[in-house]
Amino acid sequence: MADVFDRVKAIIIDRLDVDEEKITLEASFKDDLEADSLDVVELVMELEDEFDMEIADEEAEKINTVGDAVNYINSQQ
Amino acid sequence: MLKGKNALVTGASRGIGRAIALELARKGANVAVNYAGSEEKAQQVVEEIESYGVKAFKIQANVANESEVKGMIKEVTSQFGSLDILVNNAGITRDNLLMRMKEEEFDDVITTNLKGVFLCTKAVARQMMKQRSGKIINVASIVGVSGNPGQANYVAAKAGVIGLTKTTAKEFASRNILVNAVAPGFIATDMTDQLTDEQKEGMLGLIPLHKLGQPEDVAKVVRFLASDDANYMTGQTLHIDGGMVM
């Protein structure tokens, strides 16, 4: 199974159509990857499907960077 | 016209909701018939829909209860495989003059008629965002535009639905989810049967077409909004009221 970061990266590339090198753990979805609020909601939905988990709204709101998402997923597995 | 589309109509066991469910089915859509209490009537609607050669099933859920709503949407999408059309129709009345209206009467109507629309919309949006398409049609009321004595709770809820329709339309436009409302006027249903003769006469005098509407009059406009013929419309509220409010 691919590393969590790689799987998250693949979803981001597919959804936001950004260059792979821009996707670092520090990258902010909104500031660096040009996602709007609804894009982030959708990304979270896709992460839920990809990792077969439910991310509560309160947790989802804390996900601002790629690293936030990866850390959250790791903490739940 | 709606062949292969999958729809969910809330409060579809009777009245306007029933007429909408039947009309969508008549035009080829598969329809999930939501109801709160009238199981037998919901079953009759299901059987009538099936006679049109499309799929139908009934599903019990209180639209004001988030977990029941989530369960309902999950069930509908798993049975149909997709969900193209949501009609938020479920509603109740607890009429009273404002000075006599109890807090509970106000809360009950706001909860079912306004929060119910919010919860169903939120639950269905996930599926429609994935599909990159969807039609949401909210059944508001002309009194939500004009006001009506004795219905402070109902009017507040329906005016709220119109505002919710506009905001939802703006939030989801980029995902090709179109959200519109209909505002029926004085339609012959169980709900309007409860009005006093005095109220009825008063209303007829305000209707240029000078007659009651039928549930089918509303259903046909909803069917239009649900179809590809309305693909350049979103955030609108269509009055179906015999010209009562212009």
Side-chain angles (χ1 to χ4, degrees):
Chain A
M1 198 204 290
D3 176 58
V4 168
F5 180 44
D6 289 335
R7 288 163 73 191
V8 170
K9 207 191 276 184
I11 289 175
I12 295 169
I13 292 169
D14 179 51
R15 177 55 69 195
L16 298 179
D17 196 23
V18 288
D19 294 337
E20 186 169 352
E21 56 267 29
K22 284 177 100 177
I23 307 171
T24 61
L25 285 171
E26 294 75 34
S28 152
F29 289 111
K30 287 185 187 166
D31 298 333
D32 303 317
L33 303 177
E34 291 168 43
D36 66 17
S37 311
L38 203 55
D39 289 328
V40 178
V41 171
E42 273 190 318
L43 275 171
V44 169
M45 276 166 42
E46 295 212 11
L47 293 174
E48 288 180 323
D49 290 343
E50 170 74 18
F51 295 95
D52 193 24
M53 56 167 58
E54 237 179 82
I55 305 176
D57 289 344
E58 306 83 71
E59 297 297 332
E61 280 167 15
K62 293 183 205 152
I63 296 176
N64 297 312
T65 65
V66 177
D68 293 339
V70 171
N71 288 338
Y72 180 79
I73 292 161
N74 280 327
S75 75
Q76 298 298 306
Q77 287 187 332
Chain B
M1 189 179 198
L2 298 174
K3 203 166 165 38
K5 303 279 187 190
N6 299 314
L8 165 64
V9 182
T10 68
S13 62
R14 54 206 173 113
I16 292 174
R18 175 179 179 277
I20 292 169
L22 294 175
E23 178 67 20
L24 298 180
R26 199 175 287 128
K27 296 297 173 184
N30 302 312
V31 185
V33 175
N34 160 260
Y35 67 99
S38 323
E39 185 176 3
E40 208 172 302
K41 285 184 173 164
Q43 183 56 35
Q44 286 168 9
V45 176
V46 166
E47 284 164 19
E48 206 168 327
I49 289 173
E50 285 171 339
S51 75
Y52 297 128
V54 295
K55 284 188 270 182
F57 66 96
K58 63 178 190 295
I59 184 154
Q60 201 270 338
N62 172 4
V63 295
N65 180 310
E66 184 165 32
S67 66
E68 290 185 29
V69 167
K70 280 185 175 172
M72 170 170 69
I73 302 300
K74 214 172 169 187
E75 178 67 20
V76 174
T77 47
S78 83
Q79 290 229 17
F80 285 160
S82 72
L83 186 46
D84 309 293
I85 301 160
L86 167 68
V87 181
N88 284 309
N89 167 77
I92 58 169
T93 53
R94 298 280 183 276
D95 295 353
N96 219 335
L97 289 174
L98 186 136
M99 291 301 289
R100 298 197 191 286
M101 189 175 286
K102 295 185 189 70
E103 185 180 358
E104 194 186 313
E105 291 172 328
F106 188 84
D107 287 346
D108 283 354
V109 171
I110 296 289
T111 302
T112 298
N113 297 15
L114 180 55
K115 193 173 100 175
V117 177
F118 161 71
L119 291 176
C120 291
T121 300
K122 188 176 171 190
V124 90
R126 186 188 179 94
Q127 177 67 25
M128 289 182 173
M129 278 166 73
K130 278 188 198 168
Q131 293 169 191
R132 284 289 187 272
S133 75
K135 293 277 172 67
I136 299 174
I137 298 120
N138 297 326
V139 179
S141 169
I142 203 65
V143 300
V145 181
S146 65
N148 196 31
Q151 292 196 301
N153 48 6
Y154 188 80
V155 168
K158 293 301 190 180
V161 168
I162 293 171
L164 186 58
T165 300
K166 294 175 186 177
T167 292
T168 316
K170 288 186 176 180
E171 282 196 17
F172 292 136
S174 65
R175 301 306 190 264
N176 194 33
I177 300 170
L178 310 185
V179 191
N180 291 287
V182 293
F186 198 21
I187 308 296
T189 63
D190 292 348
M191 200 181 269
T192 46
D193 275 349
Q194 292 169 10
L195 298 173
T196 65
D197 285 347
E198 199 186 354
Q199 282 173 312
K200 282 184 193 172
E201 269 175 42
M203 288 186 95
L204 274 181
L206 299 170
I207 303 170
L209 291 181
H210 209 69
K211 61 180 180 188
L212 297 187
Q214 296 301 315
E216 291 71 25
D217 293 324
V218 179
K220 286 173 186 168
V221 178
V222 171
R223 176 251 289 161
F224 161 69
L225 290 172
S227 77
D228 287 342
D229 290 344
N231 280 353
Y232 197 56
M233 283 181 70
T234 195
Q236 302 303 313
T237 300
L238 297 183
H239 298 185
I240 310 164
D241 65 348
M244 194 159 71
V245 176
M246 296 183 187

